[in-house]
Amino acid sequence: MAYAPTKWNLGELYAGFASPELQGAFDNVEEQVMSFEGVRGKLNPDIDPNQFMEIVRASEETTRIINKIYAFTGLSFSSDTQDQVAQTYMARVQQFAAQMQNRVLFFSLWWKELDDRNAERLMSAAGDYRYYLEEMRHFKPHTLSEPEEKVINIKDVTGSGALITLYDAITNRYVFKLDVNGETKELTRGQLMAFVQGSDPDLRAKAYQELYRVYAEDGNILGQMYQTRARDWYNENIELRKFANPISARNLGNDIPDEAVDALLEVARKNTKIFQRYFKLKAKQLGMQQLRRYDIYAPIANSDKKFDYNDATKTVFESFNSFAPQLAEMAQRVFDQEHVDSEVRKGKRDGAFCWSVLPDMTPYVLLNYQGRARDVATMAHELGHAIHAMLAAHHSAFTWHSSLPLAETASTFGEMMLTDKLLAEEKDESVRRDLLFKQIDDAYATIMRQSYFALFEKQAHDMIQKNASVNDLSAAYMENLKEQFGDSVELSDEFKWEWVSIPHIYHTPFYVYAYAFGQLLVLSLYQQFKAEGEAFKPKYLKILSAGGSEAPAKILSDAGIDIRSAKFWQGGFDVLDKLVSELERL
Ligand SMILES: [Zn+2]
């Protein structure tokens, strides 16, 4: 079968916004929530395990419908962001979900309050739902009373939630101007940033200068918003919920022990030399004395090799197939069920993602396929996500989705297998070199850059509590960059505004270390794969098929990995060290 770039078919979810099934789904959720409210009186410490599981399954059923509504709305919106109906539904669904959540809040509060002995009695009968229930109880020491929790939920909508919406509204409106071939172009941030990966050194510099010129104009306001966000985080998580540190609140949500995150960030700090060596090497390749910060993503060769879409799908399937035929079959199923939206269209969302809706439904994948090597890698990446979800399909809707730090395992692993395959087949030396350098560029961007963002967040949250000004924070950010780059890269002053341009640190404080976590994990898994061959495969498939049914530390310790040990994280950096050494020899 030959594949061509297409639009997806959402019919398996709902026929359309006007379909009676979709309207019925809203009513259905309302009815289920109303009946769920009725169980309030039945919740007592010696509740029968069967009755308890009925309640859990009822709540799963509601979650399944909400997931479907959410997915249909989100996917429709992604495929046409200008569609007014989809836009309106997005807001409606968010509001609806929040309201429903507040009405069933009593259940999770009761569950967290329950004594250990009875909780253990119920969990031991919960089968696959056990970890979901256990994880909820981790928050017991940090949970407030029902009225307090409700007040926080409601005030967040107009408080920190609104602050972030404003940050997005302000920064999404920015227009960037760039002179290209004597013509002044007005660009979005995404379009502007394409030039920093381009081969013209002058445009790379101008693109960054323009980016931070615009952000610096609002630097004080954006900086104040960040201060407010950090204070809100402190007030809620430290003052009210009694977490030990600002980052601990995120760690518990990820179910990663504080020591593991500390170990990861410390080891990253000790390994800055690897990328510094790489940047020096890259300067030589580009014929420069020293790399400027503007040049770190510059291409090494100007390979404009294009990959036909059908060939790309075949290459990706073959790469999965060489690991296990089962994986290739799953990848192919995503295409055959028309769950891929790959064509480039006006109004369609940029970039790529995989959306797994329900354990028993083939995930949906969005791509914007333009035939570059990067697009083939993205295809392998997103299909990796889909395969991960499909391998875990035997779990409940509460336990099949892997937690954040493990979420990038199959996707990154899939990309690495593909790169190996492309390298093995590529005859053109310049294309090969480009592929190798791109691999390290990406590793820098996901590992070191994100680790240093996290280190900055830790410092900034601390400084803000001690009344640091926006300028103090900018100065601290420059120090952070200096430590990261050493003498390998020339830094210019405008980068002091980079921190106000990172949406993640506003939206989801301390989210970013999960990227470094995932990529380092995969580097060491991939190393094991190369060393052990066939023997590695069942171990890897077991990690993926666990989904989110166990704590990440447990899933990984079953595979012989100790995320608390500095040695494990160093192993990931050792792989990079070797790759850079190989490039140095080339
Ligand atoms: Zn991903």
Side-chain angles (χ1 to χ4, degrees), residues 381-382 385 408 411:
H381 181 104
E382 300 309 333
H385 280 301
E408 294 297 335
S411 54

Side-chain angles (χ1 to χ4, degrees), residues 175-346:
V175 177
F176 303 92
K177 292 185 182 139
L178 194 67
D179 286 332
V180 186
N181 303 326
E183 189 196 333
T184 305
K185 292 196 173 208
E186 298 207 332
L187 306 166
T188 63
R189 182 177 179 170
Q191 292 168 320
L192 181 75
M193 286 296 99
F195 288 96
V196 314
Q197 289 174 4
S199 52
D200 182 337
D202 198 38
L203 277 179
R204 291 199 296 262
K206 277 195 199 150
Y208 272 119
Q209 286 157 3
E210 173 64 4
L211 176 71
Y212 296 123
R213 180 190 69 77
V214 172
Y215 273 91
E217 274 181 7
D218 284 340
N220 276 323
I221 297 175
L222 301 177
Q224 274 178 50
M225 291 176 138
Y226 185 71
Q227 290 170 320
T228 309
R229 180 73 172 113
R231 282 191 193 276
D232 178 73
W233 188 263
Y234 186 92
N235 292 343
E236 178 178 336
N237 291 304
I238 309 288
E239 292 287 336
L240 298 175
R241 300 194 185 277
K242 311 290 180 205
F243 280 99
N245 295 294
I247 197 172
S248 309
R250 174 72 52 216
N251 295 346
L252 193 68
N254 289 339
D255 201 5
I256 298 289
D258 284 355
E259 312 94 82
V261 179
D262 290 346
L264 160 66
L265 295 179
E266 260 165 53
V267 172
R269 220 166 182 167
K270 283 193 187 124
N271 283 277
T272 49
K273 283 278 182 297
I274 297 175
F275 289 106
Q276 293 176 8
R277 265 168 53 214
Y278 171 70
F279 291 134
K280 286 178 182 171
L281 174 71
K282 193 161 179 177
K284 253 190 246 164
Q285 286 283 323
L286 291 168
M288 303 174 84
Q289 275 286 333
Q290 187 193 25
L291 224 52
R292 304 166 302 170
R293 170 62 185 79
Y294 308 132
D295 304 313
I296 64 174
Y297 302 119
I300 282 303
N302 254 336
S303 75
D304 45 12
K305 184 170 174 172
K306 291 277 181 209
F307 296 80
D308 165 73
Y309 185 77
N310 187 49
D311 294 346
T313 58
K314 295 276 142 53
T315 308
V316 171
F317 295 161
E318 278 165 25
S319 138
F320 283 126
N321 191 55
S322 67
F323 190 91
Q326 180 195 10
L327 303 190
E329 280 158 27
M330 286 174 169
Q332 199 170 336
R333 205 188 311 159
V334 185
F335 284 86
D336 291 346
Q337 295 189 358
E338 298 177 70
H339 281 211
V340 184
D341 196 318
S342 46
E343 64 182 13
V344 179
R345 277 194 313 276
K346 211 174 145 228

Side-chain angles (χ1 to χ4, degrees), residues 128-146:
D128 191 56
Y129 299 85
R130 185 191 169 97
Y131 175 63
Y132 163 71
L133 294 166
E134 201 179 280
E135 227 240 320
M136 247 198 274
R137 282 177 64 83
H138 293 166
F139 286 87
K140 180 175 181 169
H142 309 291
T143 299
L144 310 172
S145 68
E146 186 173 356

